[in-house]
Structure formats: C-alpha cells, structure tokens
Amino acid sequence: LAVTFIGIFCIGSATEGEDFQFKQILGFALGIIVLIIFTLLSYKFVFKFYWLIYAATIVLLALVMVAGTTSKGAKRWIDLGFVQFQPSEIAKVFLIIFVATYLYKRRETLNTFAGVTLFAAMVFGLIFLEPDLSTTIVIFITFCAIMFLSGIHYKIVTGVIIISIPIVLVLGYYVSQPNNKILKGYQYLRIVGFFQEDNAKAKDLRYQQENSLLAIGSGGLTGKGLDNNDITSVKNGNLISESHTDFIFTIVGEELGFIGGAAVIILLLLIVLECFITGSRAPTYSGRLFCYGFGVLIGTQTLVNIAVATMLLPNTGVTLPFVSYGLTSLLSLYFGIGVVLNIGLQRTKAML
C-alpha cells in the first residue's frame, strides 16, 4: 500500500493536468478488491485450474497479435474502449501459477522438465513477437529461478548451464551484428548502441537515460518536491518520455530525492523478502514455488527498471512494480500478492 501511494503521487506530478493519476487511483481501488478476493479464496482451488489458466494466457497473447493496438512499433495492448489491457502483464503471474502447479503435479519425475519448458517457451515466443523483449527477458529469468528453486538435481542444472554458455555466446555475437533477423532495429540500437559512444542513432536513444541520470542526481537528499515548478526539472522541460511508466523512478529520484528513492527500493525489497519468507513456510510445494517465483518477478522488474533509469542497463521498457502507471500491471500485482497472502493464511490454518 505504501509503495503504491508513492507511485500515485509521483504519477500525478509527472502527468500534471492529465487523468493518469485518477486512473491509477481507480486501479488501486480495484486492486484492493482483487487482493481481498484472492486472499480469502484458497490458492489450492485457484491452482486446480492451471491448465485453463495456461490456455487463457495463450489465447490472450494470441489475441494481441490479431486484434491488438499498435503503439511505437509494438502491438502489446487490447483496446477495451475505457482502458488499454496488456495481456503480457497478467501472463507473468499466470505462467508462475502454471509452472508451480505443473511441477507440483509431476514432482515425482521432476528431473524430466522438457514438457514445462516447452509450454513456457510458447508464452515467451508470443510475448517476444509483440515485440516485447524486456518482458520476455523478465519472465524468462523468473522461469529459470523457479526451475532452479524447484529442487531439480544439480547435475541437470550443471548440464543446462554448460550447454547454455556457448549458445548464449553465439546468440550474443549474432544479435550484435547489424540487420540480424532476431531483434528489431530499435532493439538492436538500444542494446548495441548502449556500448557505442560514436553511434549517432543510438545516441538519440541514450538521450533520455542521460537526462534521467542527471535528474536523479539533481534531486539530492530530499528532492525538489512533488509538483514543483523548477525550470531545471526534466519533467517540466519534457526531457523524458514515459516518465509516468518506464521512467517513474526518475520522478521519484528528482522530486523525492535520495530518501524517496531509498524508501521505494527498501519497500520493494521487503515485499520480495516477505514472498520468500511466506514461500519457505508454505504448506504445499506449489505454494512455495509460486511465492518464490512471484518474489523473483518483483525483484527482477525492480532491478531492471531502476538499472535503466540510472543508465546501468540499455534502455528497455519495464515498469517499476506498484509505482509505474498501468492498470493491468497494478491489478496483476495485487492478484499475485493476494495469492501470496492466502498461502500465508493456509499455513496458519494448518498449524491450528
């Protein structure tokens, strides 16, 4: 709740005169309802429908390809009239449910994981084709973490790592070449151009990251204050696009300073830790894997978003959990938190 409140105030400051703050407040209210429902509804009941949840994920992602709305070269949203729905956000949580339950059902033959990898790869592929490279990377890391934490024999983990290293090196070399068939032109420039100071086209893409870094630094200890009229503010100078979504941490750093930025990081870290603590005490294997996976998801997204805002990673569009604007993202996160809370309650009931 605390980190969402910070996000609402920062979104209002970043989009003064627009209705994004009101929509986020509405999303927050709906998120609380979703949170309460899935806190009280047994996660074991929800997880029974894991195949239906997986099918819904594939259908929604496929629907984006057919009837999705295109914005800035990417087709990631479905226009519902009153709001833009982004299936890839809910797909993150749905895939964690599917993988956790799939592994639970087959825990006796856990060392054969080709099936779950194939099903997960279909989700990765559909998201990548939108194209949404950043979300694909985040959800892939989450999947790998779940598999690692699931208890697979170390020999299999070692074998996968040994096989993956040359594949990653060859793939990395290939995508670093101009006109490769895997990355879009702007994706290539964002990744390769990040390391090429003399790349004129990539310099334009680095421009807002450089402004973001300066803005966060200019916030000092306590920041310039929300809704400020400082002419040196990157917000007031329109020097950063998507300041209410992908670069919301820039607004946090500039207007709330080091204290505000540290507060957001600490709050999100505490949420991740609570997910892992709840997972370690979960009454079932599937509940444990879900908590671990959801914690990794929040942690990975936080790390990537802040690393992009502080120019530690190439520019890629990932929202900051609970802080960035986005109704689908917010509702998905509160859905996941509701499931985690319910898993904690199930442990209490089991102890009683």
Side-chain angles (χ1 to χ4, degrees):
L1 297 179
V3 76
T4 304
F5 285 144
I6 293 174
I8 288 172
F9 284 118
C10 289
I11 289 167
S13 180
T15 60
E16 192 173 355
E18 301 181 69
D19 62 351
F20 290 108
Q21 186 182 46
F22 173 76
K23 289 182 178 178
Q24 191 75 352
I25 293 172
L26 177 61
F28 169 64
L30 294 174
I32 293 298
I33 295 172
V34 170
L35 175 73
I36 293 172
I37 291 173
F38 286 97
T39 299
L40 300 177
L41 183 65
S42 173
Y43 78 94
K44 296 175 184 177
F45 174 77
V46 176
F47 285 16
K48 285 181 180 179
F49 303 97
Y50 72 107
W51 276 113
L52 183 61
I53 289 172
Y54 176 78
T57 303
I58 296 298
V59 170
L60 287 172
L61 292 174
L63 188 60
V64 172
M65 307 301 295
V66 177
T69 301
T70 302
S71 177
K72 298 182 179 180
K75 187 182 287 188
R76 304 174 185 172
W77 302 269
I78 298 175
D79 190 354
L80 300 180
F82 60 94
V83 71
Q84 297 275 6
F85 174 64
Q86 189 173 357
S88 60
E89 291 295 331
I90 193 66
K92 297 173 186 175
V93 185
F94 277 4
L95 184 63
I96 296 173
I97 291 176
F98 173 76
V99 172
T101 312
Y102 185 97
L103 293 176
Y104 167 68
K105 296 290 185 180
R106 292 156 180 79
R107 59 191 181 282
E108 300 300 330
T109 56
L110 192 57
N111 290 331
T112 57
F113 60 98
V116 69
T117 304
L118 176 62
F119 290 124
M122 292 177 65
V123 176
F124 303 151
L126 287 171
I127 295 175
F128 180 78
L129 291 173
E130 291 184 358
D132 193 347
L133 178 62
S134 54
T135 298
T136 306
I137 293 172
V138 168
I139 200 170
F140 177 73
I141 292 173
T142 303
F143 171 75
C144 291
I146 295 174
M147 296 301 294
F148 178 76
L149 295 168
S150 65
I152 289 178
H153 198 280
Y154 76 93
K155 290 183 178 179
I156 293 183
V157 175
T158 304
V160 170
I161 293 174
I162 292 173
I163 294 172
S164 299
I165 289 175
I167 293 175
V168 170
L169 290 175
V170 172
L171 188 62
Y173 175 78
Y174 177 72
V175 299
S176 68
Q177 305 304 308
N179 303 316
N180 68 78
K181 302 300 182 182
I182 297 179
L183 298 180
K184 300 289 184 181
Y186 72 91
Q187 292 174 331
Y188 168 80
L189 288 174
R190 283 181 176 181
I191 294 174
V192 178
F194 182 78
F195 306 99
Q196 297 177 348
E197 296 293 335
D198 58 344
N199 190 318
K201 292 182 178 179
K203 187 175 181 180
D204 293 335
L205 294 174
R206 290 199 305 269
Y207 180 67
Q208 64 175 339
Q209 279 187 288
E210 292 169 351
N211 287 333
S212 171
L213 196 61
L214 291 172
I216 294 171
S218 71
L221 181 63
T222 58
K224 299 175 181 177
L226 294 169
D227 303 311
N228 69 79
N229 295 315
D230 192 327
I231 59 173
T232 63
S233 169
V234 296
K235 176 197 71 177
N236 296 326
N238 293 319
L239 299 176
I240 290 184
S241 62
E242 310 298 335
S243 59
H244 61 304
T245 54
D246 300 339
F247 281 89
I248 192 66
F249 191 76
T250 305
I251 304 300
V252 173
E254 183 179 48
E255 302 194 346
L256 300 180
F258 174 81
I259 293 175
V264 168
I265 292 173
I266 291 170
L267 287 169
L268 289 170
L269 176 61
L270 289 174
I271 292 173
V272 172
L273 290 176
E274 272 303 317
C275 288
F276 274 84
I277 291 170
T278 303
S280 67
R281 300 170 177 173
T284 64
Y285 180 81
S286 58
R288 180 166 70 251
L289 290 184
F290 178 86
C291 290
Y292 290 162
F294 191 68
V296 170
L297 175 65
I298 294 176
T300 303
Q301 278 199 209
T302 299
L303 178 63
V304 172
N305 179 277
I306 295 177
V308 168
T310 53
M311 210 171 174
L312 295 174
L313 287 176
N315 191 353
T316 183
V318 174
T319 57
L320 185 59
F322 301 102
V323 184
S324 294
Y325 170 77
L327 302 191
T328 313
S329 173
L330 195 59
L331 290 174
S332 300
L333 289 167
Y334 272 101
F335 164 56
I337 288 293
V339 175
V340 171
L341 289 173
N342 182 262
I343 292 170
L345 289 174
Q346 293 290 337
R347 171 184 172 265
T348 303
K349 290 179 181 179
M351 289 177 64
L352 294 174

